[in-house]
Amino acid sequence: MADQFYTMKEAMLYSQRIAQLSKALWKAVEKDWQTWIKPYDLNINEHHILWISYHLQGATISDIAKFGVMHVSTAFNFSKKLEERGLLSFSKRDTDKRNTYVDVTKKGKILLEEMYENYHVTQHAVLEGSLPIKELYGKFPDFMDVTAVIRNIYGDDFMDIFERSLKNIEDTFSSKSE
Amino acid sequence: MADQFYTMKEAMLYSQRIAQLSKALWKAVEKDWQTWIKPYDLNINEHHILWISYHLQGATISDIAKFGVMHVSTAFNFSKKLEERGLLSFSKRDTDKRNTYVDVTKKGKILLEEMYENYHVTQHAVLEGSLPIKELYGKFPDFMDVTAVIRNIYGDDFMDIFERSLKNIEDTFSSKSE
């Protein structure tokens, strides 16, 4: 064990720490998310799919599954429900007959933008719990270590889509409210 | 908006960042966890309850619910199942007739220790994804910002139990394998 890069003990402690922290964080995020989207008759998967399709502007079902960290069948089934509600449209491309492409409809865009506008109507425990850090450091935490771990697990593609979608929100807000 | 402590845009970007990161992290943790405990015919809730009861040494159902970030009814129902399997025992205390106390039985302890021993038999994507950070900084990431946010959301009690359980694992390992 002496010549190992890490000890069993270190690995176990680290593993238990990250398991507890990530569960607690995700449960808080999930609760805030559910409270926010409740008035719009969407579940988290549906909203996440709508969100990804909006920011990717022409995502395939497998893009949605990958970026939404959900099974392909979950991505497909909930996308289908959103299509039935007229919030998404499905299409094939001449250059790529195998994949189904998903786009947010005008109705879907209006719904998403309405949701963004009403974001601050509901309570966000995670946001509030982050304010003391913002006060102390002058900015919200950037979770560099979590981001690095996720990049190593999910790959550069995942992080590229992630950064692209955040850039997209930034641009949408710049052109609108500021 | 100028005199606000944070802008809508900042809050939204931060919120979307943490939502995506925490979902991706939790899904990876969940997968590792499930793979690890699969041979023992336990689900994550059951293992988590066993884990908490082991480290708290005399937890109430509400302690388990709080620290396990689950509903009281979930904590109760799965604890009951573990009791039926002889892994947990329930008791009342003379000084506190209202609460049910949960203890890990000898059989439960043996199972948990066996699971710890076989921890490295299965793959842990989160652990592997953290190794480049360990290599770079000489230690596993400590997620200070996530920890601070969670402390603000769940309170000092939550973090005390959290640290106590990690200390407990540390002591168990010290007295055994090192």
Side-chain angles (χ1 to χ4, degrees):
Chain A
M1 186 160 288
D3 59 350
Q4 241 183 288
F5 176 54
Y6 57 90
T7 64
M8 283 274 293
K9 182 174 153 183
E10 266 183 299
M12 179 70 73
L13 283 169
Y14 172 67
S15 220
Q16 299 292 325
R17 177 177 293 274
I18 198 169
Q20 298 286 336
L21 289 177
S22 77
K23 186 180 183 186
L25 185 63
W26 167 244
K27 292 290 165 185
V29 164
E30 194 182 32
K31 204 172 160 190
D32 288 350
W33 198 342
Q34 270 163 349
T35 312
W36 174 34
I37 68 180
K38 205 181 166 190
Y40 306 97
D41 191 25
L42 293 168
N43 62 39
I44 286 180
N45 279 322
E46 288 167 341
H47 181 246
H48 205 182
I49 291 169
L50 216 51
W51 191 90
I52 296 165
S53 316
Y54 179 79
H55 290 296
L56 254 58
Q57 298 168 8
T60 64
I61 294 288
S62 70
D63 289 339
I64 290 173
K66 185 179 178 186
F67 186 53
V69 203
M70 51 181 93
H71 284 283
V72 173
S73 61
T74 307
F76 180 77
N77 292 336
F78 284 115
S79 296
K80 197 81 203 129
K81 285 196 181 174
L82 294 168
E83 192 214 11
E84 284 159 16
R85 282 173 66 179
L87 299 169
L88 283 185
S89 65
F90 284 7
S91 62
K92 293 273 178 192
R93 288 190 188 170
D94 285 343
T95 51
D96 174 13
K97 297 267 183 199
R98 283 184 317 157
N99 283 309
T100 301
Y101 284 82
V102 169
D103 281 288
V104 182
T105 61
K106 201 176 169 199
K107 189 179 162 191
K109 274 181 194 154
I110 291 168
L111 178 67
L112 271 175
E113 282 161 13
E114 191 191 329
M115 291 174 77
Y116 278 135
E117 272 158 34
N118 293 328
Y119 177 78
H120 290 276
V121 171
T122 55
Q123 267 226 323
H124 297 272
V126 175
L127 188 62
E128 276 156 43
S130 308
L131 290 181
I133 299 177
K134 164 96 169 122
E135 217 156 323
L136 191 60
Y137 294 105
K139 66 188 190 78
F140 284 109
D142 45 20
F143 304 110
M144 294 288 280
D145 39 16
V146 174
T147 309
V149 172
I150 287 172
R151 181 182 291 275
N152 290 332
I153 298 173
Y154 293 97
D156 288 342
D157 272 16
F158 184 87
M159 291 314 293
D160 289 348
I161 297 182
F162 178 76
E163 294 301 344
R164 210 205 304 174
S165 67
L166 290 177
K167 181 79 180 58
N168 222 321
I169 302 181
E170 206 170 343
D171 295 344
T172 311
F173 270 73
S174 307
S175 64
K176 274 192 158 184
S177 59
E178 290 203 318
Chain B
M1 185 162 288
D3 60 350
Q4 241 182 287
F5 176 53
Y6 57 91
T7 64
M8 284 274 292
K9 181 174 153 184
E10 266 184 298
M12 178 70 74
L13 282 169
Y14 172 68
S15 221
Q16 299 292 327
R17 176 177 293 274
I18 198 169
Q20 300 285 336
L21 289 178
S22 78
K23 187 180 183 188
L25 184 64
W26 168 242
K27 292 290 166 187
V29 164
E30 194 181 31
K31 205 172 162 190
D32 288 350
W33 199 341
Q34 271 163 349
T35 313
W36 173 35
I37 67 179
K38 205 181 166 189
Y40 307 96
D41 190 26
L42 292 168
N43 63 38
I44 286 182
N45 279 322
E46 288 167 340
H47 180 245
H48 205 183
I49 290 170
L50 216 51
W51 191 90
I52 296 166
S53 314
Y54 179 80
H55 290 296
L56 256 58
Q57 298 169 9
T60 64
I61 295 288
S62 71
D63 289 337
I64 290 172
K66 186 180 176 182
F67 185 53
V69 203
M70 52 181 93
H71 284 283
V72 173
S73 61
T74 307
F76 181 76
N77 292 336
F78 285 114
S79 298
K80 198 80 202 132
K81 285 195 180 175
L82 294 167
E83 193 214 11
E84 284 158 15
R85 283 174 64 180
L87 300 168
L88 283 185
S89 65
F90 285 5
S91 62
K92 292 273 176 189
R93 288 193 185 166
D94 285 344
T95 51
D96 176 11
K97 298 267 183 197
R98 282 185 316 159
N99 283 308
T100 301
Y101 286 81
V102 169
D103 281 288
V104 182
T105 60
K106 202 177 167 196
K107 187 180 164 191
K109 274 180 194 151
I110 291 168
L111 179 66
L112 271 176
E113 283 160 13
E114 191 191 329
M115 292 174 77
Y116 279 134
E117 273 158 34
N118 293 329
Y119 177 78
H120 291 277
V121 171
T122 55
Q123 268 226 322
H124 297 273
V126 174
L127 189 61
E128 277 157 42
S130 308
L131 290 181
I133 300 177
K134 164 95 169 121
E135 216 156 323
L136 191 61
Y137 294 106
K139 64 186 190 78
F140 285 109
D142 45 19
F143 304 111
M144 293 289 280
D145 39 16
V146 174
T147 308
V149 172
I150 288 172
R151 181 183 290 276
N152 290 332
I153 297 172
Y154 293 97
D156 288 342
D157 271 17
F158 184 86
M159 292 313 293
D160 289 348
I161 297 182
F162 177 77
E163 295 300 344
R164 211 205 304 175
S165 66
L166 290 176
K167 182 79 181 56
N168 223 319
I169 301 180
E170 206 170 343
D171 295 344
T172 310
F173 271 71
S174 308
S175 63
K176 275 192 159 183
S177 60
E178 291 203 319

PDB file of all heavy atoms in Angstrom, chain A residues 129-150:
ATOM      1  N   GLY A 129     -28.224  30.373   0.074  1.00  0.00           N
ATOM      2  CA  GLY A 129     -27.123  29.764   0.818  1.00  0.00           C
ATOM      3  C   GLY A 129     -25.759  30.138   0.265  1.00  0.00           C
ATOM      4  O   GLY A 129     -24.739  29.899   0.904  1.00  0.00           O
ATOM      5  N   SER A 130     -25.749  30.709  -0.933  1.00  0.00           N
ATOM      6  CA  SER A 130     -24.478  31.103  -1.552  1.00  0.00           C
ATOM      7  C   SER A 130     -24.163  32.572  -1.327  1.00  0.00           C
ATOM      8  O   SER A 130     -23.032  33.012  -1.580  1.00  0.00           O
ATOM      9  CB  SER A 130     -24.522  30.835  -3.062  1.00  0.00           C
ATOM     10  OG  SER A 130     -24.932  29.510  -3.316  1.00  0.00           O
ATOM     11  N   LEU A 131     -25.138  33.331  -0.857  1.00  0.00           N
ATOM     12  CA  LEU A 131     -24.930  34.776  -0.697  1.00  0.00           C
ATOM     13  C   LEU A 131     -23.803  35.144   0.275  1.00  0.00           C
ATOM     14  O   LEU A 131     -23.054  36.078  -0.003  1.00  0.00           O
ATOM     15  CB  LEU A 131     -26.237  35.473  -0.321  1.00  0.00           C
ATOM     16  CG  LEU A 131     -27.287  35.527  -1.445  1.00  0.00           C
ATOM     17  CD1 LEU A 131     -28.532  36.259  -0.988  1.00  0.00           C
ATOM     18  CD2 LEU A 131     -26.733  36.175  -2.722  1.00  0.00           C
ATOM     19  N   PRO A 132     -23.658  34.414   1.405  1.00  0.00           N
ATOM     20  CA  PRO A 132     -22.530  34.764   2.287  1.00  0.00           C
ATOM     21  C   PRO A 132     -21.176  34.640   1.582  1.00  0.00           C
ATOM     22  O   PRO A 132     -20.253  35.392   1.892  1.00  0.00           O
ATOM     23  CB  PRO A 132     -22.647  33.748   3.435  1.00  0.00           C
ATOM     24  CG  PRO A 132     -24.086  33.356   3.450  1.00  0.00           C
ATOM     25  CD  PRO A 132     -24.524  33.385   2.015  1.00  0.00           C
ATOM     26  N   ILE A 133     -21.060  33.707   0.637  1.00  0.00           N
ATOM     27  CA  ILE A 133     -19.802  33.559  -0.114  1.00  0.00           C
ATOM     28  C   ILE A 133     -19.624  34.751  -1.057  1.00  0.00           C
ATOM     29  O   ILE A 133     -18.544  35.326  -1.158  1.00  0.00           O
ATOM     30  CB  ILE A 133     -19.790  32.236  -0.914  1.00  0.00           C
ATOM     31  CG1 ILE A 133     -19.915  31.055   0.051  1.00  0.00           C
ATOM     32  CG2 ILE A 133     -18.519  32.118  -1.764  1.00  0.00           C
ATOM     33  CD1 ILE A 133     -19.989  29.710  -0.619  1.00  0.00           C
ATOM     34  N   LYS A 134     -20.720  35.121  -1.679  1.00  0.00           N
ATOM     35  CA  LYS A 134     -20.701  36.291  -2.562  1.00  0.00           C
ATOM     36  C   LYS A 134     -20.299  37.547  -1.777  1.00  0.00           C
ATOM     37  O   LYS A 134     -19.531  38.382  -2.258  1.00  0.00           O
ATOM     38  CB  LYS A 134     -22.097  36.433  -3.192  1.00  0.00           C
ATOM     39  CG  LYS A 134     -22.420  37.752  -3.832  1.00  0.00           C
ATOM     40  CD  LYS A 134     -22.172  37.740  -5.319  1.00  0.00           C
ATOM     41  CE  LYS A 134     -22.765  38.983  -5.967  1.00  0.00           C
ATOM     42  NZ  LYS A 134     -21.762  39.762  -6.680  1.00  0.00           N
ATOM     43  N   GLU A 135     -20.822  37.638  -0.573  1.00  0.00           N
ATOM     44  CA  GLU A 135     -20.509  38.782   0.288  1.00  0.00           C
ATOM     45  C   GLU A 135     -19.025  38.791   0.653  1.00  0.00           C
ATOM     46  O   GLU A 135     -18.365  39.824   0.654  1.00  0.00           O
ATOM     47  CB  GLU A 135     -21.345  38.666   1.561  1.00  0.00           C
ATOM     48  CG  GLU A 135     -21.834  39.984   2.092  1.00  0.00           C
ATOM     49  CD  GLU A 135     -23.093  39.799   2.941  1.00  0.00           C
ATOM     50  OE1 GLU A 135     -23.941  38.941   2.598  1.00  0.00           O
ATOM     51  OE2 GLU A 135     -23.204  40.496   3.959  1.00  0.00           O
ATOM     52  N   LEU A 136     -18.505  37.610   0.944  1.00  0.00           N
ATOM     53  CA  LEU A 136     -17.121  37.477   1.405  1.00  0.00           C
ATOM     54  C   LEU A 136     -16.111  37.687   0.279  1.00  0.00           C
ATOM     55  O   LEU A 136     -15.119  38.386   0.445  1.00  0.00           O
ATOM     56  CB  LEU A 136     -16.951  36.073   2.001  1.00  0.00           C
ATOM     57  CG  LEU A 136     -15.687  35.756   2.793  1.00  0.00           C
ATOM     58  CD1 LEU A 136     -15.566  36.673   3.998  1.00  0.00           C
ATOM     59  CD2 LEU A 136     -15.716  34.290   3.244  1.00  0.00           C
ATOM     60  N   TYR A 137     -16.396  37.064  -0.867  1.00  0.00           N
ATOM     61  CA  TYR A 137     -15.406  37.076  -1.954  1.00  0.00           C
ATOM     62  C   TYR A 137     -15.772  38.035  -3.086  1.00  0.00           C
ATOM     63  O   TYR A 137     -14.999  38.187  -4.035  1.00  0.00           O
ATOM     64  CB  TYR A 137     -15.233  35.678  -2.548  1.00  0.00           C
ATOM     65  CG  TYR A 137     -14.623  34.681  -1.579  1.00  0.00           C
ATOM     66  CD1 TYR A 137     -15.401  33.707  -0.975  1.00  0.00           C
ATOM     67  CD2 TYR A 137     -13.268  34.742  -1.273  1.00  0.00           C
ATOM     68  CE1 TYR A 137     -14.849  32.793  -0.079  1.00  0.00           C
ATOM     69  CE2 TYR A 137     -12.707  33.834  -0.381  1.00  0.00           C
ATOM     70  CZ  TYR A 137     -13.503  32.870   0.216  1.00  0.00           C
ATOM     71  OH  TYR A 137     -12.949  31.982   1.089  1.00  0.00           O
ATOM     72  N   GLY A 138     -16.950  38.634  -3.016  1.00  0.00           N
ATOM     73  CA  GLY A 138     -17.355  39.548  -4.087  1.00  0.00           C
ATOM     74  C   GLY A 138     -17.899  38.859  -5.320  1.00  0.00           C
ATOM     75  O   GLY A 138     -18.265  39.506  -6.288  1.00  0.00           O
ATOM     76  N   LYS A 139     -17.951  37.532  -5.286  1.00  0.00           N
ATOM     77  CA  LYS A 139     -18.562  36.806  -6.408  1.00  0.00           C
ATOM     78  C   LYS A 139     -19.125  35.465  -5.931  1.00  0.00           C
ATOM     79  O   LYS A 139     -18.727  34.956  -4.881  1.00  0.00           O
ATOM     80  CB  LYS A 139     -17.570  36.604  -7.550  1.00  0.00           C
ATOM     81  CG  LYS A 139     -16.383  35.699  -7.220  1.00  0.00           C
ATOM     82  CD  LYS A 139     -15.367  35.724  -8.373  1.00  0.00           C
ATOM     83  CE  LYS A 139     -14.286  34.675  -8.209  1.00  0.00           C
ATOM     84  NZ  LYS A 139     -14.658  33.314  -8.548  1.00  0.00           N
ATOM     85  N   PHE A 140     -20.043  34.941  -6.737  1.00  0.00           N
ATOM     86  CA  PHE A 140     -20.587  33.623  -6.413  1.00  0.00           C
ATOM     87  C   PHE A 140     -19.479  32.574  -6.588  1.00  0.00           C
ATOM     88  O   PHE A 140     -18.589  32.746  -7.419  1.00  0.00           O
ATOM     89  CB  PHE A 140     -21.763  33.293  -7.335  1.00  0.00           C
ATOM     90  CG  PHE A 140     -23.019  34.024  -6.983  1.00  0.00           C
ATOM     91  CD1 PHE A 140     -23.506  35.046  -7.796  1.00  0.00           C
ATOM     92  CD2 PHE A 140     -23.732  33.699  -5.834  1.00  0.00           C
ATOM     93  CE1 PHE A 140     -24.669  35.724  -7.465  1.00  0.00           C
ATOM     94  CE2 PHE A 140     -24.906  34.369  -5.502  1.00  0.00           C
ATOM     95  CZ  PHE A 140     -25.373  35.386  -6.315  1.00  0.00           C
ATOM     96  N   PRO A 141     -19.530  31.485  -5.810  1.00  0.00           N
ATOM     97  CA  PRO A 141     -18.500  30.452  -5.956  1.00  0.00           C
ATOM     98  C   PRO A 141     -18.504  29.867  -7.370  1.00  0.00           C
ATOM     99  O   PRO A 141     -19.552  29.771  -7.997  1.00  0.00           O
ATOM    100  CB  PRO A 141     -18.885  29.396  -4.919  1.00  0.00           C
ATOM    101  CG  PRO A 141     -20.303  29.672  -4.548  1.00  0.00           C
ATOM    102  CD  PRO A 141     -20.523  31.123  -4.775  1.00  0.00           C
ATOM    103  N   ASP A 142     -17.334  29.500  -7.866  1.00  0.00           N
ATOM    104  CA  ASP A 142     -17.300  28.945  -9.226  1.00  0.00           C
ATOM    105  C   ASP A 142     -17.101  27.433  -9.270  1.00  0.00           C
ATOM    106  O   ASP A 142     -17.123  26.850 -10.332  1.00  0.00           O
ATOM    107  CB  ASP A 142     -16.274  29.667 -10.119  1.00  0.00           C
ATOM    108  CG  ASP A 142     -14.959  29.883  -9.396  1.00  0.00           C
ATOM    109  OD1 ASP A 142     -14.722  29.172  -8.402  1.00  0.00           O
ATOM    110  OD2 ASP A 142     -14.185  30.746  -9.822  1.00  0.00           O
ATOM    111  N   PHE A 143     -16.963  26.797  -8.105  1.00  0.00           N
ATOM    112  CA  PHE A 143     -16.903  25.334  -8.041  1.00  0.00           C
ATOM    113  C   PHE A 143     -15.876  24.748  -9.008  1.00  0.00           C
ATOM    114  O   PHE A 143     -16.179  23.840  -9.778  1.00  0.00           O
ATOM    115  CB  PHE A 143     -18.285  24.730  -8.311  1.00  0.00           C
ATOM    116  CG  PHE A 143     -19.345  25.232  -7.390  1.00  0.00           C
ATOM    117  CD1 PHE A 143     -20.351  26.066  -7.846  1.00  0.00           C
ATOM    118  CD2 PHE A 143     -19.329  24.910  -6.041  1.00  0.00           C
ATOM    119  CE1 PHE A 143     -21.330  26.551  -6.990  1.00  0.00           C
ATOM    120  CE2 PHE A 143     -20.303  25.392  -5.171  1.00  0.00           C
ATOM    121  CZ  PHE A 143     -21.298  26.210  -5.655  1.00  0.00           C
ATOM    122  N   MET A 144     -14.673  25.285  -8.945  1.00  0.00           N
ATOM    123  CA  MET A 144     -13.610  24.842  -9.846  1.00  0.00           C
ATOM    124  C   MET A 144     -13.327  23.354  -9.692  1.00  0.00           C
ATOM    125  O   MET A 144     -13.111  22.654 -10.681  1.00  0.00           O
ATOM    126  CB  MET A 144     -12.313  25.621  -9.545  1.00  0.00           C
ATOM    127  CG  MET A 144     -12.380  27.084  -9.845  1.00  0.00           C
ATOM    128  SD  MET A 144     -12.377  27.408 -11.612  1.00  0.00           S
ATOM    129  CE  MET A 144     -10.608  27.241 -11.938  1.00  0.00           C
ATOM    130  N   ASP A 145     -13.295  22.865  -8.455  1.00  0.00           N
ATOM    131  CA  ASP A 145     -12.936  21.454  -8.258  1.00  0.00           C
ATOM    132  C   ASP A 145     -14.040  20.514  -8.759  1.00  0.00           C
ATOM    133  O   ASP A 145     -13.755  19.518  -9.427  1.00  0.00           O
ATOM    134  CB  ASP A 145     -12.478  21.142  -6.811  1.00  0.00           C
ATOM    135  CG  ASP A 145     -13.270  21.866  -5.734  1.00  0.00           C
ATOM    136  OD1 ASP A 145     -14.367  22.368  -6.053  1.00  0.00           O
ATOM    137  OD2 ASP A 145     -12.800  21.921  -4.580  1.00  0.00           O
ATOM    138  N   VAL A 146     -15.303  20.877  -8.476  1.00  0.00           N
ATOM    139  CA  VAL A 146     -16.416  20.072  -8.998  1.00  0.00           C
ATOM    140  C   VAL A 146     -16.374  20.070 -10.531  1.00  0.00           C
ATOM    141  O   VAL A 146     -16.523  19.022 -11.165  1.00  0.00           O
ATOM    142  CB  VAL A 146     -17.782  20.613  -8.516  1.00  0.00           C
ATOM    143  CG1 VAL A 146     -18.922  19.869  -9.183  1.00  0.00           C
ATOM    144  CG2 VAL A 146     -17.909  20.511  -7.005  1.00  0.00           C
ATOM    145  N   THR A 147     -16.142  21.251 -11.115  1.00  0.00           N
ATOM    146  CA  THR A 147     -16.098  21.365 -12.576  1.00  0.00           C
ATOM    147  C   THR A 147     -14.997  20.477 -13.160  1.00  0.00           C
ATOM    148  O   THR A 147     -15.215  19.782 -14.159  1.00  0.00           O
ATOM    149  CB  THR A 147     -15.875  22.836 -12.985  1.00  0.00           C
ATOM    150  OG1 THR A 147     -16.842  23.640 -12.304  1.00  0.00           O
ATOM    151  CG2 THR A 147     -16.035  23.028 -14.484  1.00  0.00           C
ATOM    152  N   ALA A 148     -13.837  20.477 -12.514  1.00  0.00           N
ATOM    153  CA  ALA A 148     -12.723  19.647 -12.999  1.00  0.00           C
ATOM    154  C   ALA A 148     -13.071  18.160 -12.913  1.00  0.00           C
ATOM    155  O   ALA A 148     -12.811  17.402 -13.851  1.00  0.00           O
ATOM    156  CB  ALA A 148     -11.458  19.946 -12.194  1.00  0.00           C
ATOM    157  N   VAL A 149     -13.680  17.749 -11.808  1.00  0.00           N
ATOM    158  CA  VAL A 149     -14.061  16.340 -11.647  1.00  0.00           C
ATOM    159  C   VAL A 149     -15.066  15.953 -12.733  1.00  0.00           C
ATOM    160  O   VAL A 149     -14.946  14.901 -13.373  1.00  0.00           O
ATOM    161  CB  VAL A 149     -14.625  16.075 -10.231  1.00  0.00           C
ATOM    162  CG1 VAL A 149     -15.201  14.670 -10.123  1.00  0.00           C
ATOM    163  CG2 VAL A 149     -13.552  16.281  -9.158  1.00  0.00           C
ATOM    164  N   ILE A 150     -16.041  16.818 -12.966  1.00  0.00           N
ATOM    165  CA  ILE A 150     -17.072  16.530 -13.969  1.00  0.00           C
ATOM    166  C   ILE A 150     -16.463  16.479 -15.375  1.00  0.00           C
ATOM    167  O   ILE A 150     -16.805  15.612 -16.171  1.00  0.00           O
ATOM    168  CB  ILE A 150     -18.223  17.546 -13.865  1.00  0.00           C
ATOM    169  CG1 ILE A 150     -19.017  17.221 -12.599  1.00  0.00           C
ATOM    170  CG2 ILE A 150     -19.120  17.514 -15.095  1.00  0.00           C
ATOM    171  CD1 ILE A 150     -20.060  18.220 -12.246  1.00  0.00           C
TER     172      ILE A 150
END
